[in-house]
Amino acid sequence: MTTDERLDRRTGIVETLASAVTAHDSAIDAHDRQIGAVIGVVEKQGAQIAGLKAAVAATQREWRAYIKTLLRR
């Protein structure tokens, strides 16, 4: 095998590796976008849960006040 043939062979290997790296980078970028979307959903749900907790607490206070009025009768 001549030096030029070896060099061509090595060039082919490097090109294959470069395309594999590019594909891997694209997969990482897609994964990062998915993680970003999940984080957005979690933040939205966190805000919704906080609102529900406040609503439940208010309802509990209202029921307790109502029950107290019944007990006074």
Side-chain angles (χ1 to χ4, degrees), residues 3-19:
T3 304
D4 287 341
E5 290 172 337
R6 287 182 182 175
L7 193 56
D8 288 341
R9 187 173 174 197
R10 300 296 189 282
T11 301
I13 292 170
V14 169
E15 288 172 353
T16 301
L17 289 173
S19 64

Side-chain angles (χ1 to χ4, degrees), residues 32-73:
D32 288 347
R33 285 190 299 277
Q34 289 173 339
I35 290 173
V38 168
I39 289 171
V41 168
V42 168
E43 290 172 345
K44 182 178 178 182
Q45 288 178 340
Q48 290 173 339
I49 289 170
L52 289 172
K53 283 182 178 180
V56 167
T59 303
Q60 285 176 336
R61 284 191 302 275
E62 290 172 7
W63 274 105
R64 285 183 184 146
Y66 176 70
I67 290 171
K68 284 181 182 179
T69 62
L70 292 178
L71 295 175
R72 289 182 193 151
R73 290 181 183 180

